[in-house]
Amino acid sequence: DTTKVRITALDSSVSTQAASATNFYIKGSFTVPNPPASGVTWTLGDSHTITWTTVGTVSKVKIKYTTNGLDASPTWIVVGSSVDNNPAGTSTSWTWVIPTNITPTPTATAKIRVENYSDSAVYRDSAPFKLVGKFTNVTVPSEVSVGVASTISWSTTGNIATVLLTYSIDNGTSWTTITTASNSTNSYSWIVPDTTNNNSECLVKVADNLDSANVSAISTNTFKIKGRLAAVTPGAASGESYTIGTTTSVSWSTLGST
């Protein structure tokens, strides 16, 4: 802040001039960091190259991001603490590996900020964009039985609190809801409903309950849903006995088609 402005009258017979009363500071600036463009979606764990151009001399910058960029006072997190900046008029690029422990943003509220290392009042923010998690390794046994618990398991990238679980018996043409469940264990014990498909055309899907249309994964294997028989008589009561050569009624119940 050592700069001043002087004004001198050129058409006066007497030299007339005045200088600004206080010093001031000439600041540099940045073009809008790009990408991301407005409304794009980036996935946690992926890497993206961010590019900007500087007006004026700025030797180093900080790179920050926020997930609540539309709030009045966003929370900014530093991901590049001292990034070398190219000379004025030339672009600078920096690769961001998006952390995997971020809570996803179902709507476009995330932003990137490029900030003068020496003056936090000099910065430029990107357009708002989405950060989403992802699911991988969705597995289910190759055969499951009606009425019996079977474990669905998966891996999660990002802090996704709840999941929407669905299943298909026609290889993904249509889907039926299983439940909405906590994602604390990356697994769910599914009591298989009274429906069957013996043709290995069944699938399970795991989705972010807050963004199910965009963030989901389907089981890596298809599976069969099999019916089940349960004996009713004989054997329903403990200690029953039967005499050889006599006629005894045999009955059972059926779950699903067998």
Side-chain angles (χ1 to χ4, degrees):
D1 56 354
T2 59
T3 306
K4 286 188 174 183
V5 170
R6 173 180 290 173
I7 302 173
T8 302
L10 299 179
D11 57 351
S12 173
S13 58
V14 179
S15 176
T16 303
Q17 61 183 18
S20 54
T22 57
N23 297 339
F24 61 92
Y25 175 40
I26 298 177
K27 299 182 177 182
S29 63
F30 308 103
T31 58
V32 176
N34 185 62
S38 181
V40 304
T41 298
W42 283 0
T43 301
L44 306 186
D46 289 355
S47 61
H48 292 273
T49 299
I50 302 162
T51 303
W52 65 93
T53 301
T54 306
V55 178
T57 300
V58 178
S59 60
K60 289 182 178 294
V61 298
K62 293 180 180 180
I63 309 296
K64 300 179 177 181
Y65 80 92
T66 182
T67 58
N68 61 334
L70 302 185
D71 291 357
S73 299
T75 300
W76 292 97
I77 299 171
V78 177
V79 288
S81 59
S82 181
V83 178
D84 289 333
N85 194 51
N86 289 336
T90 59
S91 63
T92 304
S93 295
W94 184 80
T95 300
W96 183 34
V97 179
I98 305 175
T100 58
N101 61 347
I102 297 175
T103 299
T105 59
T107 57
T109 59
K111 288 184 177 182
I112 292 289
R113 170 171 289 185
V114 177
E115 178 184 294
N116 188 334
Y117 178 84
S118 302
D119 186 353
S120 61
V122 179
Y123 62 84
R124 195 68 180 266
D125 295 344
S126 72
F129 61 100
K130 287 178 62 173
L131 286 172
V132 299
K134 63 182 176 182
F135 301 102
T136 54
N137 304 320
V138 181
T139 60
V140 65
S142 60
E143 291 186 354
V144 299
S145 296
V146 173
V148 178
S150 294
T151 299
I152 305 167
S153 62
W154 60 89
S155 300
T156 306
T157 299
N159 297 330
I160 299 175
T162 57
V163 294
L164 173 65
L165 299 173
T166 56
Y167 73 97
S168 171
I169 61 172
D170 52 17
N171 208 26
T173 300
S174 59
W175 295 90
T176 301
T177 298
I178 298 174
T179 191
T180 299
S182 167
N183 194 32
S184 59
T185 63
N186 285 326
S187 65
Y188 179 77
S189 182
W190 177 35
I191 305 297
V192 181
D194 189 357
T195 185
T196 56
N197 186 307
N198 290 311
N199 298 319
S200 295
E201 293 182 336
C202 300
L203 295 165
V204 164
K205 183 191 293 184
V206 181
D208 184 342
N209 189 49
L210 297 179
D211 196 9
S212 59
N214 300 301
V215 182
S216 65
I218 296 173
S219 53
T220 55
N221 62 291
T222 56
F223 60 95
K224 296 179 181 180
I225 297 178
K226 303 175 68 176
R228 186 166 61 91
L229 298 176
V232 177
T233 58
S238 176
E240 290 185 38
S241 62
Y242 301 91
T243 303
I244 295 173
T246 60
T247 300
T248 300
S249 176
V250 177
S251 64
W252 61 90
S253 63
T254 303
L255 292 174
S257 299
T258 59

